[in-house]
């Protein structure tokens, strides 16, 4: 894998993308204005599209053929959401589009339609989402099999891996921020839709873990990137091919089944703790680490406080808890001022039950290292305390428990304890021994959930608000005395009202329990081939 990573880095540095055809974008813009905002992975919903610019264009198949395949990197300009103060400049997000081109679409491809081009180099032709066309999706795998550098793109692969030709592709529907294709139940390709310059953690971290021999994370088989004209050392990561773990069950569905049947989940939770610790240990050995001292601690605590204040302005129900919640961040900062330091390293960044898979053998894998796509890439690649991932999983147990009627608070408490115990046994460091740090990160996560649920799923707002009430009433002293993150559980708020029952669990209409923000990281990456029909994104703990 080290040879593969070296080859990838060298190719990216040498890449210089050709200039895109000047007449192409004006011919596509009217269609894209209508089509892009309707896509589930489009991040700027609710804001008008004010302009496009073409970052790169590559013909993977000649567009005058039938079909042709056009790869675009498209910068989309939108105004920022209204906020107090002077108007902010518009934002621009870069999206990856794979467009098929035909004179006319066969009926089977009707759902993929983008539109009919009226003028320019594609006048008279029909463009559509190429990932829904098995022929063009198969061509994409062929490019990954053979590697090379067409246009602005660079296809690379692990030279020791075998990718058979002719694998039949099929798209997975359970996704939001990205698109995924399964090839013959052997491989899965995640195609990133909104992209940024710099290595995506979902490629960078699994490559690093593979070099360390960590078997908890599926190793990348192949990948493709686009050259960055502004900085050849920071290419755009566009897609990653990994083994498809056929027959595995994701942790969220397994937890819900445990709740529905009354089966014990603590053994699984403890095994998840061990798996998480193994991944953290391997990451610390594979990539640089650092230490958070007074200045970094105060900056982190200030950012958490700022997020709390902003969330309280948007969600009045949060306001009564703000003074008590601030004490969590203040206690964290005070320890930094007193000389306490914490190690920081690369972490998963969006860990929850839906980001884990249990094989038939009983072994757990961790997937989807993209982090929270709504956050800047530089932030997602920053070293952080491992407790951030721990807090995400602890919140996930709470969400799972509250998605079942009757709500079983003790189930969440037992799972949280078991997870921390498993983590401590594997790593030698018990996250419960740092109660101020754990409380700060759990609080920050719960505040994030409150803001998301209020905006997108108000019927689920009681779930994070119950956690907020518990965290506001907890004190670092009480937590330190027991070394337990869930010493007491709030027992008065039941499952959110207005949700539909589904197999013993409750689900908000049209979305899985505790799905993340739209867009957010999709975790369909290695799951069973038939996701639930109402899955919009892999369910997990934090939006």
């Amino acid at each position: 894998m080290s040879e593969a990573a070296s080859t990838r880095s060298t190719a990216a540095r040498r890449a210089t993308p050709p200039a895109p055809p000047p007449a192409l974008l004006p011919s596509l813009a009217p269609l894209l204005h209508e089509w892009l905002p309707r896509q589930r992975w489009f991040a700027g919903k609710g804001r008008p599209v004010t302009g496009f610019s073409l970052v790169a264009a590559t013909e993977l198949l000649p567009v005058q053929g039938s079909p042709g395949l056009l790869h675009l990197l498209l910068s989309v300009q939108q105004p920022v959401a209204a906020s107090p103060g002077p108007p902010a400049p518009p934002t621009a997000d870069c999206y990856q589009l794979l467009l098929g081109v035909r004179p006319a679409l066969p009926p089977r491809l009707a759902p993929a339609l983008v539109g009919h081009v009226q003028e320019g180099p594609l006048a008279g032709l029909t463009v559509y989402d190429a990932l829904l066309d098995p022929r063009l999706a198969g061509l994409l795998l062929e490019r990954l099999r053979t590697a090379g550098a067409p246009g602005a793109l660079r296809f690379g692969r692990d030279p020791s891996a075998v990718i058979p030709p002719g694998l039949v592709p099929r798209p997975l529907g359970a996704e939001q921020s990205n698109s995924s294709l399964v090839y013959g139940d052997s491989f899965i390709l995640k195609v990133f839709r909104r992209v940024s310059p710099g290595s995506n953690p979902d490629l960078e971290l699994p490559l690093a873990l593979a070099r360390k021999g960590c078997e908890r994370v599926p190793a990348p088989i192949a990948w493709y990137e686009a050259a960055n004209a502004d900085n050849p050392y920071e290419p755009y990561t566009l897609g990653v091919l990994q083994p498809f773990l056929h027959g595995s069950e994701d942790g969220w569905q397994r937890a819900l089944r445990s709740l529905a049947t009354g089966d014990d989940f603590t053994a699984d939770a403890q095994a998840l703790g061990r798996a998480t610790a193994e991944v953290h240990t391997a990451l610390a050995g594979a990539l640089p680490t650092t230490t958070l001292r007074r200045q970094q601690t105060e900056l982190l605590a200030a950012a958490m406080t700022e997020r709390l204040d902003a969330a309280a302005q948007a969600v009045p129900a949060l306001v009564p808890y703000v003074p008590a919640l601030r004490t969590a961040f203040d206690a964290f900062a005070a320890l930094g001022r007193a000389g306490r330091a914490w190690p920081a390293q690369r972490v998963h960044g969006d860990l929850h039950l839906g980001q884990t898979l249990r094989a038939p053998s009983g072994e757990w894998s961790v997937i989807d290292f993209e982090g929270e796509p709504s956050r800047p890439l530089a932030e997602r690649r920053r070293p952080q305390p491992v407790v951030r991932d721990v807090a995400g999983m602890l919140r996930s147990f709470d969400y799972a428990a509250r998605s079942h009627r009757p709500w079983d608070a003790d189930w969440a408490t037992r799972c949280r304890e078991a997870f921390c115990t498993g983590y401590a046994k594997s790593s030698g460091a018990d996250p419960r021994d740092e109660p101020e740090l754990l409380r700060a990160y759990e609080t920050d996560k719960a505040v994030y959930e409150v803001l998301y649920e209020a905006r997108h799923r108000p019927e689920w707002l009681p779930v994070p608000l119950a956690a907020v009430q518990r965290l506001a009433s907890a004190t670092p002293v009480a937590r330190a005395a027991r070394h337990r993150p869930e010493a007491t559980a709030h027992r008065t708020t039941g499952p959110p009202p207005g949700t539909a029952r589904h197999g013993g669990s409750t689900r908000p209409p049209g979305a899985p329990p505790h799905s993340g923000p739209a867009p957010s990281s999709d975790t369909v990456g290695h799951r069973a081939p038939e996701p639930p029909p109402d899955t919009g994104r892999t369910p997990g703990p934090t939006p």
Side-chain angles (χ1 to χ4, degrees):
M1 279 307 215
S2 57
E3 179 184 351
S6 175
T7 302
R8 165 179 168 260
S9 177
T10 301
R13 289 197 300 271
R14 293 176 179 170
T16 52
L24 178 64
L25 186 55
S27 68
L28 291 174
L31 306 180
L32 296 177
H33 264 288
E34 297 293 328
W35 181 77
L36 267 175
R38 298 199 306 266
Q39 305 314 300
R40 297 177 69 183
W41 40 261
F42 184 69
K45 287 182 171 59
R47 292 180 288 142
V49 174
T50 57
F52 298 114
S53 61
L54 203 54
V55 177
T58 303
E59 286 189 35
L60 293 174
L61 276 181
V63 295
Q64 299 302 326
S66 185
L69 178 56
L70 184 63
H71 182 281
L72 302 182
L73 288 182
L74 187 68
S75 178
V76 181
Q77 289 84 46
Q78 294 182 276
V80 298
S83 61
T91 61
D93 289 320
C94 186
Y95 290 91
Q96 175 184 192
L97 306 182
L98 287 124
L99 300 179
V101 182
R102 292 175 182 255
L105 279 190
R108 61 184 174 82
L109 292 177
L113 177 67
V114 174
H116 308 284
V117 183
Q118 302 298 317
E119 58 184 8
L122 301 179
L125 297 175
T126 300
V127 295
Y128 61 100
D129 186 349
L131 295 184
L132 299 181
D133 184 340
R135 180 175 173 184
L136 297 182
L139 173 69
L140 194 55
L141 181 66
E142 189 62 25
R143 289 290 190 183
L144 291 164
R145 286 186 67 245
T146 57
L153 304 181
R154 299 293 180 268
F155 288 83
R157 56 170 294 182
D158 173 6
S160 67
V162 177
I163 307 175
L167 295 176
V168 177
R170 72 174 188 278
L172 286 183
E175 53 201 337
Q176 277 190 332
S177 63
N178 302 303
S179 299
S180 296
L181 295 165
V182 173
Y183 292 91
D185 284 345
S186 299
F187 302 100
I188 182 161
L189 174 65
K190 179 188 284 188
V191 177
F192 300 109
R193 289 298 195 167
R194 186 169 61 154
V195 298
S196 302
S199 184
N200 191 298
D202 213 8
L203 174 60
E204 179 191 13
L205 298 189
L207 277 175
L209 289 167
R211 291 194 295 269
K212 294 298 291 184
C214 179
E215 297 181 352
R216 292 291 190 177
V217 177
I221 301 297
W223 51 86
Y224 70 110
E225 299 172 308
N228 177 6
D230 296 325
N231 185 349
Y233 292 90
E234 295 289 331
Y236 295 86
T237 303
L238 302 179
V240 183
L241 185 76
Q242 292 175 278
F244 182 67
L245 304 184
H246 184 67
S248 295
E249 182 180 21
D250 76 75
W252 175 259
Q253 295 297 336
R254 187 171 177 84
L256 293 189
R257 186 159 54 80
S258 164
L259 283 159
T261 60
D263 293 339
D264 182 61
F265 195 74
T266 54
D268 280 322
Q270 189 168 138
L272 279 170
R274 290 195 300 270
T276 302
E278 289 178 23
V279 171
H280 283 163
T281 300
L283 283 173
L287 296 168
T289 61
T290 187
T291 301
L292 300 181
R293 303 190 186 278
R294 175 174 178 169
Q295 182 179 8
Q296 297 94 331
T297 300
E298 289 187 328
L299 288 173
L300 276 171
M304 291 175 176
T305 301
E306 184 178 346
R307 287 192 288 270
L308 170 62
D309 292 340
Q313 288 185 0
V315 188
L318 189 59
V319 171
Y321 303 105
V322 167
L325 295 177
R326 279 203 190 107
T327 65
F329 309 141
D330 293 342
F332 173 38
L335 287 177
R337 288 191 293 271
R340 180 81 65 86
W342 289 276
Q345 62 169 78
R346 296 298 297 276
V347 298
H348 185 284
D350 189 28
L351 188 63
H352 54 75
L353 284 165
Q355 309 281 41
T356 64
L357 292 172
R358 186 181 186 275
S361 65
E363 291 298 311
W364 285 92
S365 298
V366 180
I367 60 171
D368 292 331
F369 282 76
E370 188 180 359
E372 295 175 359
S374 60
R375 298 188 185 274
L377 182 60
E379 180 182 333
R380 288 184 271 144
R381 298 179 68 190
R382 190 177 299 148
Q384 302 178 65
V386 295
V387 74
R388 171 165 182 172
D389 284 348
V390 173
M393 187 62 75
L394 299 188
R395 293 293 308 122
S396 192
F397 291 129
D398 190 32
Y399 260 87
R402 288 178 175 273
S403 70
H404 181 266
R405 286 181 179 158
W407 171 42
D408 187 352
D410 290 337
W411 183 94
T413 301
R414 292 192 302 271
C415 290
R416 291 161 65 94
E417 293 291 301
F419 179 85
C420 290
T421 297
Y423 191 96
K425 286 181 177 178
S426 179
S427 69
D430 193 329
R432 295 167 293 193
D433 291 339
E434 294 279 4
E436 296 89 357
L437 187 66
L438 185 58
R439 182 187 176 214
Y441 272 90
E442 274 199 83
T443 300
D444 190 45
K445 201 73 166 176
V447 168
Y448 178 77
E449 293 164 359
V450 165
L451 185 60
Y452 172 75
E453 303 294 12
R455 287 176 173 174
H456 302 285
R457 304 189 314 182
E459 68 274 18
W460 276 83
L461 185 56
V463 177
L465 279 179
V468 161
Q469 181 174 345
R470 171 179 59 79
L471 290 161
S473 63
T475 63
V477 173
R479 286 168 168 257
R482 288 198 60 201
H483 292 299
R484 294 295 182 267
E486 184 95 0
T488 58
H490 179 63
R491 296 174 177 270
T492 60
T493 304
T499 54
R501 296 187 61 82
H502 179 88
S505 65
T506 57
R507 296 173 180 247
H514 194 40
S515 60
S520 181
S521 60
D522 64 285
T523 59
V524 299
H526 310 276
R527 63 178 52 243
E530 295 296 336
D534 64 341
T535 302
R537 147 181 205 268
T538 297
T542 68

